[in-house]
Amino acid sequence: MAFTDPLRSVPDFDAGDAEWLHLLVGDWQMVADLGFGDLLLCFPADVIPAAESPTGDPIPGEGSEFLVLAHARPTTGPTAYQKDMVGEVVGGEAAFTLRRAWVDRRIERAGPSEWSSLASRSVTLVPLVRNNRTIAVVSLTADPQHDRLPSRMELVYHELASALLRMANQGTWPDFAVRTDSRRGAPRVGDGIMRLNAEGTVEFCSPNGLSTFRRLGLAGDITGQNLLHVARQLPLTAPGVDETLAPVLAGTMPWRAELATGKASATLRAIPLREGPERTGALLLCRDVTELRRRDLQLVSKDATIREIHHRVKNNLQTVSALLRLQSRRMHSDEGRNGLQQAMRRVSAIARVHESLSHEISEDVDFDDLIRHQVKLAVETASAGQHVRTRVSGRFGRLPSKSATSVALVVNEIVANAVGHGLKDRDGTVELVVTHREDEVTDAGERYRVVEIAINDDGRGMGDAVIEESGVDAYRPPAEGEGLGMQIVRTLVASELQGGIRWQPADGGGTSVIITARFPRAMSGRS
């Protein structure tokens, strides 16, 4: 359930109001850190609709309690509430002050006596006004710390928190125009902050912020300098300052950007500060992400190396397959030629798995495209002068590479066996059907995805016999007429796929081979 559901249930509020609250709660940790206090988002339990309200706007009913919809604790100081306040009901004097703030639409301070049911500290109530109506109230509960004089940094932090809360009261923050960056390394209050004036000059820079710019190559202090001019003097890896970065450094747009030199990288985020329609300056968050970017580069390099290894393994396997094909052409005995062709088919099946992995970042494979090609390849290789059709239905999803290789080999052997024996010297159809059973959970709590793979042919059939093998039953000497392929199938199904295999007559004639495979959920990727 979304925390905005109570607001959505009131007809006077629309989806835009709920989305704006989502933006606020997604960003208000910054306000809690700057204000050294807890934030609570409160909404009345009883709302008088605008059509019935004396003010013409939706307001809380007389004596209405308030529900806490969201709660944020500061990382820069102690919390005011030891328990999670989400879902708590606020009543009494505290609810009265919340209703007063809602109706008056003004930021108010509630004394300890009015808020004693929740906390004994000073509380600031901020009605969130959007489209000329209040949609919720935020409370900031902080320790006033009368026993000592606050530092310069604490004063700036409090000033910035108050500025953001005033903008929230006016409905100008958060801004729907904010751009998000999918890359890691979003700056936080503790990473470093700057206070810019309307001209982009740095009025205050925290010690962490100064250290970040020093690592980028700044010499001297940054306070009193225009940040855009400072950035132009840094040895940036990109020439000059591009048009995306400039508005961030000037504090005119609520965007994120990144500065990078040969030795360091830093992410920046600007939040323009306004008093009504007038921009008064900006809050700039900065974070040193040098080590984070170095690790990202290592991961990218590692991924590229793994993909290159899979590509080279695929090339080597294709070379082996080609050599086996050449050698089979020089064989004079049918038995030797068939053995080499079977080996070539198995090597090609493994090569296709590595080819898929060479195009993937993850270590699992989208197996559906791969198996369709594999079934066609197995049929074409095994059939000589026959017209054998193939059908594939159902989806495997993604499989880990080890399981994908085993499934590809098993399917390859059974399809080749169906063409070579069941459809020997005749035309027909080979069909592969994939179905998913209900997950299995072991006594140890391990969850397995269970997939059933049926390979059907409409050939001569195997009589009425039903053969089923799994686990240790699969490890037996080959029966009369069984070759290496069936030994491979039984071994892989029992050991690698943790399942079983069953041969039975197919409906309408022919043979149906049903394989049950189990894949650990933690490894199986997306289904």
Side-chain angles (χ1 to χ4, degrees), residues 28-39 71-80 140-141 157 187-192:
W28 71 347
Q29 182 62 53
M30 172 176 53
V31 182
D33 292 339
L34 290 170
F36 303 99
D38 290 64
L39 293 174
H71 180 193
R73 291 186 173 89
T75 61
T76 52
T79 180
L140 171 64
T141 306
Y157 274 36
R188 301 153 300 193
V189 169
D191 298 319

Side-chain angles (χ1 to χ4, degrees), residues 29-74:
Q29 182 62 53
M30 172 176 53
V31 182
D33 292 339
L34 290 170
F36 303 99
D38 290 64
L39 293 174
L40 302 181
L41 180 68
C42 303
F43 190 79
D46 176 30
V47 179
I48 300 175
E52 303 174 13
S53 169
T55 63
D57 296 313
I59 61 172
E62 286 286 349
S64 172
E65 297 176 324
F66 278 73
L67 182 68
V68 178
L69 303 182
H71 180 193
R73 291 186 173 89

Side-chain angles (χ1 to χ4, degrees), residues 177-199:
V178 64
R179 292 183 180 180
T180 58
D181 189 346
S182 60
R183 298 186 72 189
R184 296 188 301 157
R188 301 153 300 193
V189 169
D191 298 319
I193 71 166
M194 295 182 186
R195 171 68 160 91
L196 310 181
N197 63 16
E199 289 73 38

Side-chain angles (χ1 to χ4, degrees), residues 37 45 57 60-61 67 71 121 165 501 511:
D57 296 313
L67 182 68
H71 180 193
R121 305 182 181 189
L165 290 175
I501 184 168
T511 303

